[in-house]
């Protein structure tokens, strides 16, 4: 069994599991999660407003549900929710 897992990439294992309808999914690094086709198709991540000290874009996952056809946002206007409620 060890050889079967170690001889395949996470993506190969994920695709093979999907072909058998098995609930097995990869654990992605943050960069990989942003590039995953399923996450991209669902627009799972949204770019947050850029804080002055940030050295690149900041992404946060959205709630994976729609409310009256609209996705929940991680911002209130242009302010990240965490900042608005005082936890960042």
């Amino acid at each position: 069994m060890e050889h079967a897992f170690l001889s395949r990439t996470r993506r190969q294992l994920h695709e093979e599991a999907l072909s058998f309808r098995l609930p097995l999914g990869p654990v992605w690094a943050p960069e990989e999660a942003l590039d995953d086709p399923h996450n991209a198709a669902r627009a799972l991540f949204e770019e947050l407003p850029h804080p002055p000290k940030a050295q690149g874009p900041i992404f946060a996952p959205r709630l994976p549900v729609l409310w009256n056809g609209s996705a929940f946002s991680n911002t209130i206007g242009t302010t990240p929710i965490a900042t608005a409620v005082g936890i960042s």
Side-chain angles (χ1 to χ4, degrees):
M1 182 177 249
E2 181 178 353
H3 176 70
F5 280 89
L6 293 177
S7 65
R8 293 173 176 83
T9 66
R10 284 177 292 168
R11 189 162 306 275
Q12 288 171 325
L13 287 167
H14 184 232
E15 289 171 2
E16 194 168 336
L18 288 176
S19 73
F20 289 103
R21 299 179 52 94
L22 295 173
L24 176 70
V27 176
W28 299 122
E31 307 80 37
E32 295 170 314
L34 289 172
D35 293 335
D36 180 63
H38 178 79
N39 294 341
R42 295 190 56 152
L44 180 61
F45 293 96
E46 82 175 311
E47 188 170 353
L48 297 179
H50 201 275
K53 295 181 182 178
Q55 296 184 1
I58 297 174
F59 293 91
R62 301 178 196 264
L63 289 173
V65 297
L66 298 178
W67 186 267
N68 293 329
S70 297
F72 287 94
S73 178
N74 288 307
T75 60
I76 299 173
T78 59
T79 304
I81 289 174
T83 302
V85 297
I87 60 172
S88 74

